[in-house]
Amino acid sequence: MGAGMGGSGGLGAFFLNDLNSLFSSGEDGFLFYPQSDLTRQFLLSDGSTGTITTNADPVGLDLDNASWGSGTSLATVLAAATELLIAGSWTMSVVGGTSTAVESPAGTLTLTGDGTNMARGDQSFTTVIGKTYRLNFTAAGNTGPLSVGNGQGGAGLISATFALGQNTYYFVAAATTTWVRVSRTSVGTSVESAFSCKLVPGNHAIQATTTKRPLWTANAGKPYLLFDGVDDTLVSAFSPTAAMTMACAFNTPTISAMMIGGGDSAGNRRAFLSLDASGLLSGGWGTHTQTTIFGGADIRSTDHVGLLTADAATADLYLDGALIYSAASSGTGSGGTGAMALGSFNNGGTPASWSNAREYAALALNRRVNQGEIALITQAFMATYS
């Protein structure tokens, strides 16, 4: 199944450039669309074991492609990105004994361990806190430790044994300088080459806990992420703003639960899309909850597109492109302490109100949208299930 679904073709490709245009003036947010593009969905949160390939595979990392523009593939985006690991800039060192560490002019590292003393190569580069980076290199001969962290030799971001062949890892920077180290202590030689580390633009959604990952579901060519309604969620790097649009193509039987949401209830800085206790499309914005922002009829267990666009003045809720609620706002989601999540309300950084939802597509944008843009989002998102 995976081989047949590995691109972003069909209606997904047709609408993707138009959806990317919503972010063309430098807007922030995210877009997870279409779910048929398996090149940007990974089994593990660090991407180390590769992309999902099969129905019911768990998703630990979903790459946001909102800002990728006409370069709709991950490969295209990475090809255009600036290289951060530079050949000739490695610091090669050993800790006593007969271990050796050498870098060739082309940037190939040869590390030979004597069984007691570490041979290592270190390099640092500038990073942006909260942004995601892709590290890639090839190893031959023998394996060895890999560490990525905030200090030289630190392993706060990645601590692993690199494999023979190609190695790929994704990490989220936690400091303005990030260090990469490869090493070898055990007897034998390892050779590492073709190092690359590049920024992957976007607000990607991550789940580090194995049991809390949604399942990619093929659905006869109309794929979706299936959340369990218990603890499954993917948390993005995008936090609610003072003006915002949230949209989701979904199908859920779960009442009083959120398909997409962040901010916090303690500070009355809510930002979410949900079903209320009666199965009506509803939302949260600022101080207002599901008991204020709701409309339409019971839509449980049916495919729909929900959209909430709001600012400090007004909140408008749309179901399948039709306005079902419009009233004055009370506060906004700005300043909320929970980044936007899929499958739950990331309330102050603690996921809650999980939905047993199929999510075909999701969008967040740091501005209100106009009627033409609402029609575009609705049409594109409806195409994911119809």
Side-chain angles (χ1 to χ4, degrees):
M1 188 67 196
M5 297 298 297
S8 55
L11 287 173
F14 178 78
F15 285 116
L16 184 54
N17 286 342
D18 289 332
L19 292 171
N20 286 142
S21 72
L22 299 171
F23 301 83
S24 61
S25 296
E27 291 92 340
D28 202 5
F30 59 66
L31 175 65
F32 299 106
Y33 174 96
Q35 297 294 4
S36 57
D37 183 3
L38 302 188
T39 66
R40 50 179 190 79
Q41 298 177 81
F42 297 81
L43 291 161
L44 301 183
S45 58
D46 67 2
S48 60
T49 61
T51 57
I52 61 174
T53 60
T54 306
N55 182 64
D57 272 350
V59 179
L61 170 63
D62 197 349
L63 297 182
D64 154 38
N65 56 347
S67 61
W68 293 5
S70 59
T72 56
S73 73
L74 175 60
T76 302
V77 169
L78 288 171
T82 299
E83 183 57 68
L84 300 174
L85 280 175
I86 309 302
S89 296
W90 291 89
T91 298
M92 311 303 296
S93 59
V94 296
V95 184
T98 58
S99 294
T100 59
V102 179
E103 178 186 8
S104 76
T108 295
L109 310 186
T110 301
L111 305 172
T112 302
D114 62 11
T116 302
N117 303 285
M118 180 187 293
R120 63 200 182 198
D122 294 286
Q123 189 172 158
S124 66
F125 46 90
T126 299
T127 48
V128 178
I129 296 172
K131 295 300 182 181
T132 298
Y133 295 81
R134 177 184 181 266
L135 170 66
N136 192 71
F137 65 95
T138 300
N142 288 283
T143 64
L146 165 71
S147 61
V148 180
N150 302 336
Q152 186 172 357
L157 303 177
I158 298 173
S159 180
T161 298
F162 58 78
L164 297 181
Q166 181 170 297
N167 289 264
T168 301
Y169 293 88
Y170 291 80
F171 64 88
V172 179
T176 56
T177 298
T178 297
W179 286 83
V180 173
R181 168 177 285 182
V182 288
S183 62
R184 175 79 184 173
T185 300
S186 300
V187 173
T189 298
S190 64
V191 180
E192 296 82 48
S193 60
F195 281 97
S196 175
C197 190
K198 295 183 175 183
L199 171 70
V200 184
N203 293 299
H204 314 300
I206 292 174
Q207 179 51 258
T209 303
T210 303
T211 58
K212 297 181 180 181
R213 294 171 185 158
L215 304 180
W216 183 83
T217 306
N219 191 34
K222 297 292 183 179
Y224 54 80
L225 298 185
L226 177 62
F227 296 81
D228 67 3
V230 177
D231 57 9
D232 284 0
T233 188
L234 292 169
V235 180
S236 80
F238 176 64
S239 295
T241 52
M244 217 180 143
T245 299
M246 296 166 278
C248 189
F250 65 93
N251 181 321
T252 180
T254 317
I255 61 172
S256 302
M258 287 60 168
M259 287 80 72
I260 175 174
D264 59 67
S265 57
N268 285 317
R269 297 169 294 195
R270 300 170 180 83
F272 61 76
L273 270 173
S274 59
L275 293 192
D276 70 6
S278 299
L280 311 185
L281 182 67
S282 59
W285 184 245
T287 66
H288 287 159
T289 68
Q290 297 167 308
T291 60
T292 298
I293 303 175
F294 66 90
D298 186 342
I299 57 171
R300 280 175 281 184
S301 301
T302 51
D303 295 330
H304 291 283
V305 176
L307 184 149
L308 177 63
T309 188
D311 56 20
T314 309
D316 299 321
L317 183 66
Y318 290 81
L319 175 62
D320 299 331
L323 182 66
I324 59 173
Y325 169 92
S326 182
S329 299
S330 176
T332 73
S334 180
T337 53
M340 297 295 293
L342 307 183
S344 75
F345 174 28
N346 189 29
N347 190 357
T350 301
S353 301
W354 297 272
S355 179
N356 180 207
R358 303 178 180 184
E359 296 201 7
Y360 301 92
L363 173 148
L365 179 63
N366 67 341
R367 64 173 175 85
R368 289 181 63 100
V369 289
N370 59 39
Q371 290 298 315
E373 292 169 328
I374 291 169
L376 165 65
I377 295 167
T378 301
Q379 184 183 16
F381 277 26
M382 279 184 168
T384 63
Y385 57 74
S386 60

